[in-house]
Amino acid sequence: MHSMRRTLSITVAVMLFSSLAFVWPRQAEAAAPPLTAHKMGAYVGWSTATADSFGSTVGRPIESLTLMLDRDSWAEMSSSARGLGSLWGDRNVLTVVSFPMSVAGESLAQGNSGANDQKIREIAQILVDGGLDGSVMRVGWEHNGSWSEWSSLSDPDAYSAYFRRIVNIFRDVSPDFRFEWNVNIRYVDVDLRSYPGDAYVDVIGMDIYNSSYGETQRDPVDRWNTFLKRGAGLEWHRDFAASRGKPMAYSEWALSDNHLPGVVHDDPYFIEQMLRWIATNNVAYANYFHSNEFKLTNYPNALKRYREVLREVPGSGGGPVVTQPTTTTTAAPRPKPTAAPTTTTTTQAPAPRPTTTVKPSPPATTTPVGTTPTTTAPVPRGDGQTCAPPSNPPRSPGSAVGAGYWVIDTSGVVSALGDAGWYGDLRSTGVTPVAIAGLPGGGGYWIVDGRGVVYAFGAAPHLGDLSGYSLASPIKSIVVHPNGHGYWLIGSDGGVFAFGVPFHGSMGDQALVAPVVSGEAAHSGYWLVGSDGGVFSFGVPFHGSTGGMQLAAPVISLAAHPRGGGYWLYAGDGGVFAFGVPFHGSIPGMGLCDPPNATDLEVSPTGGGYWVLADDGRVFPFGDAPTLGHASPSGAAIDLAVMSSR
């Protein structure tokens, strides 16, 4: 949820799916009756009169309600739980109670310590006493954002563990509670380590508000297509819920005034498409956020369309929601006939160096950074403003002659900086890219989306892709051979697909500790890297990994020295880990008061430095990497490609 919603007096309420074989302990099945599909309702705050009037306004009585527990303190949470029971406990509707995992100032670690167990038990008992024990508990909603104490971004394992702990306590009080695992629609993937397991989740929910952030979202049709295709978007939500055999839910959805200047807020098209999406999918309940500036009655054209299209949404009395098998396809598809005749099967992988056995005490060439938080009082962020003395090695900037790079953002816009030429991009296409790779020697680049569709620009040749194939997991990266004559597509399950280049092996048929997030190539083979920093070598030397280390943030990718000898791993906080190569610095080592989130690292053509890309489009040079400027992305900046020599 976006920051503008924090102004509400009561706090309100998306990694693409991987085929990794996660295993969780199985709990006894809850005894609650099954949910029925297509319950339509609203969030109305504390007003029973508004609940009644909303049903009259849209032409269908409310069948479900999203409710909020107070999150300021445990005492206030208990008080709000009693209030909810007195207002809604005797209503014949499905109640969805948003349960804060932590109150202000608390952490996930405190919850996992057991310090809150008794307080959680008391809240559960209050809800039972108030007649709300048949509720769906929306535990720690929108956890894939940064705006709540229970955000899973920094520690998804801690989030999922605490979620399971809360579920066990609630079930111990009453078996009638059900539980929603809820994300906010976002451009970036959801780290599925935050998923607590099928035994602890009854409904997979998503919150979505009709807002526009980039020029490609001005048009209602383009904006809707972005909602469908974005990283943690509606199609991801549908596919992930189906893969777990769970129904979907929309506990919060609404129109919004949060738009670019000139965009019409009263958007009937969004309402029509959202209602038809609900009607034609396995949705247990969908509750419009009818409060404050989001009220449906604020948008007369959209309200008219809501009344018209709501008639197409089936009633909720037609039986339980559909469940589907939780098995997923693991067979790797073959490349299209345009690809070079190389096998892409993922069953030929050599025995790699697994992260479970590589637990090094860091060698001398390993330099972990960025794990010590700054304690100095913050001041406004700026490139030259620091809260702590910089700890990076001295910089020796190289010449900018012949140097350049491209930055791509979530809206598909490509920015060319330095000597890099601009050859086109995916803006206004509705395609959500996941990576960009430059043609060695310059002159073009490739862009790939999560479906494995490759888009070639400039002199970069299109050698094939995975369009039209059903993938076991989303594509995360495109890795180009140093000679520029082919590329590999890398899936989050470690599957590798070769086009114009040899297949050296993959992890596609093996259980992983963490999903694969990227790869890098040399002349003789390639490396894959997981979000835990585990490195898998195929035809290339293994120099080390962070697979046995405690990390402050998940690893994003791996970048190799252009002349071999080692590589760098880098994490989402900008921390850099050097294996067999020099350490040139990191974002945490800059001592910034409010450091940005890192999204990519690319090595300078000499190998004597690197650039780190932040999600706001800024590019930070280290070592001999020259300063070439920042991008001005329409969405979040996600990947950087360097114009390199062959």
Side-chain angles (χ1 to χ4, degrees):
M1 185 51 53
H2 312 295
S3 58
M4 51 88 68
R5 292 178 56 205
R6 301 281 72 83
T7 60
L8 301 181
S9 58
I10 299 176
T11 303
V12 305
V14 227
M15 170 175 40
L16 298 170
F17 174 68
S18 167
S19 64
L20 305 183
F22 295 104
V23 178
W24 294 277
R26 187 78 183 176
Q27 292 293 109
E29 294 295 333
L35 293 166
T36 56
H38 302 124
K39 287 183 178 293
M40 301 299 294
Y43 168 80
V44 295
W46 295 82
S47 174
T48 57
T50 302
D52 295 332
S53 66
F54 184 83
S56 301
T57 298
V58 301
R60 178 167 168 171
I62 278 186
E63 300 157 308
S64 57
L65 282 166
T66 295
L67 309 175
M68 299 282 179
L69 290 172
D70 194 283
R71 60 195 286 183
D72 291 336
S73 69
W74 286 98
E76 289 296 323
M77 195 187 307
S78 296
S79 176
S80 63
R82 293 187 183 92
L84 293 179
S86 65
L87 287 174
W88 312 107
D90 59 353
R91 291 230 169 187
N92 186 27
V93 296
L94 175 69
T95 48
V96 182
V97 179
S98 304
F99 181 79
M101 298 177 82
S102 306
V103 300
E106 288 186 352
S107 66
L108 294 173
Q110 180 172 338
N112 278 315
S113 72
N116 297 333
D117 285 6
Q118 186 55 38
K119 300 168 187 174
I120 296 169
R121 186 175 299 276
E122 290 172 359
I123 298 294
Q125 190 60 56
I126 291 170
L127 293 175
V128 170
D129 294 343
L132 295 176
D133 50 326
S135 298
V136 176
M137 302 304 299
R138 191 168 67 130
V139 179
W141 64 97
E142 297 179 0
H143 64 87
N144 60 324
S146 59
W147 43 83
S148 299
E149 290 83 1
W150 54 81
S151 169
S152 68
L153 294 181
S154 62
D155 195 345
D157 292 318
Y159 175 89
S160 57
Y162 191 20
F163 191 109
R164 291 191 289 270
R165 191 182 196 97
I166 291 169
V167 169
N168 287 335
I169 294 171
F170 268 82
R171 284 179 174 166
D172 190 50
V173 174
S174 170
D176 293 332
F177 288 112
R178 275 80 60 92
F179 301 91
E180 177 184 338
W181 182 74
N182 173 275
V183 299
N184 190 61
I185 191 168
R186 299 198 73 191
Y187 285 114
V188 294
D189 298 347
V190 177
D191 190 329
L192 291 181
R193 289 178 297 172
S194 64
Y195 184 66
D198 294 340
Y200 298 88
V201 174
D202 298 288
V203 186
I204 294 175
M206 173 176 280
D207 294 351
I208 173 173
Y209 285 71
N210 185 36
S211 301
S212 59
Y213 294 101
E215 291 299 317
T216 59
Q217 297 177 6
R218 285 189 174 275
D219 179 76
V221 176
D222 291 340
R223 189 161 59 246
W224 176 254
N225 287 332
T226 303
F227 292 151
L228 286 175
K229 305 293 184 182
R230 67 200 305 179
L234 292 169
E235 290 185 349
W236 170 86
H237 182 213
R238 175 199 63 199
D239 295 343
F240 180 64
S243 74
R244 309 318 310 164
K246 307 292 181 182
M248 306 148 67
Y250 298 96
S251 300
E252 290 182 47
W253 72 281
L255 296 162
S256 170
D257 289 344
N258 190 17
H259 286 284
L260 298 172
V263 173
V264 177
H265 303 173
D266 189 354
D267 185 1
Y269 185 84
F270 172 79
I271 290 294
E272 176 179 349
Q273 296 305 311
M274 192 67 193
L275 286 174
R276 286 181 172 156
W277 176 265
I278 292 165
T280 56
N281 281 286
N282 186 27
V283 176
Y285 47 88
N287 297 338
Y288 186 93
F289 197 87
H290 188 63
S291 181
N292 297 287
E293 68 267 33
F294 310 105
K295 281 187 174 180
L296 187 55
T297 48
N298 293 343
Y299 309 97
N301 295 322
L303 172 58
K304 180 176 182 292
R305 198 71 184 118
Y306 191 106
R307 290 180 59 90
E308 294 168 346
V309 183
L310 183 61
R311 300 167 189 162
E312 300 178 18
V313 181
S316 62
V321 295
V322 179
T323 57
Q324 300 183 31
T326 59
T327 56
T328 58
T329 301
T330 58
R334 299 176 182 176
K336 295 177 72 173
T338 54
T342 60
T343 178
T344 60
T345 176
T346 59
T347 60
Q348 304 177 19
R353 302 173 186 265
T355 55
T356 53
T357 58
V358 180
K359 297 183 178 180
S361 51
T365 56
T366 305
T367 312
V369 296
T371 57
T372 305
T374 263
T375 56
T376 311
V379 299
R381 184 176 80 191
D383 289 347
Q385 295 174 320
T386 60
C387 290
S391 60
N392 290 327
R395 243 173 68 71
S396 301
S399 170
V401 176
Y405 46 68
W406 300 276
V407 174
I408 191 168
D409 65 31
T410 50
S411 67
V413 173
V414 173
S415 301
L417 297 112
D419 294 333
W422 188 84
Y423 303 102
D425 58 25
L426 298 176
R427 71 185 74 198
S428 303
T429 63
V431 175
T432 302
V434 296
I436 184 171
L439 176 67
Y445 41 76
W446 295 272
I447 300 172
V448 66
D449 65 16
R451 301 167 298 163
V453 180
V454 175
Y455 306 85
F457 295 89
H462 188 278
L463 300 172
D465 62 20
L466 298 169
S467 56
Y469 290 89
S470 177
L471 299 179
S473 68
I475 296 300
K476 302 299 292 183
S477 182
I478 179 170
V479 178
V480 177
H481 193 281
N483 66 16
H485 295 161
Y487 45 75
W488 297 271
L489 303 183
I490 311 297
S492 63
D493 63 350
V496 176
F497 307 93
F499 296 90
V501 285
F503 173 76
H504 298 286
S506 79
M507 296 297 294
D509 61 344
Q510 301 190 36
L512 300 176
V513 174
V516 167
V517 291
S518 190
E520 180 70 297
H523 284 278
S524 60
Y526 42 75
W527 299 272
L528 308 181
V529 64
S531 62
D532 63 346
V535 175
F536 306 92
S537 301
F538 297 92
V540 287
F542 173 78
H543 298 284
S545 78
T546 63
M549 300 180 190
Q550 184 69 37
L551 302 179
V555 166
I556 299 171
S557 195
L558 178 152
H561 194 286
R563 292 191 296 274
Y567 44 70
W568 295 268
L569 307 185
Y570 50 102
D573 62 351
V576 177
F577 306 85
F579 294 88
V581 286
F583 170 70
H584 299 294
S586 69
I587 287 180
M590 297 174 69
L592 297 178
C593 308
D594 185 15
N597 296 320
T599 59
D600 195 19
L601 179 150
E602 292 294 336
V603 181
S604 70
T606 67
Y610 40 74
W611 294 276
V612 174
L613 174 67
D615 59 1
D616 58 8
R618 287 188 292 168
V619 182
F620 298 88
F622 297 92
D624 72 354
T627 301
L628 301 177
H630 307 304
S632 299
S634 299
I638 57 172
D639 202 19
L640 178 75
V642 171
M643 187 182 73
S644 61
S645 59
R646 290 184 186 270

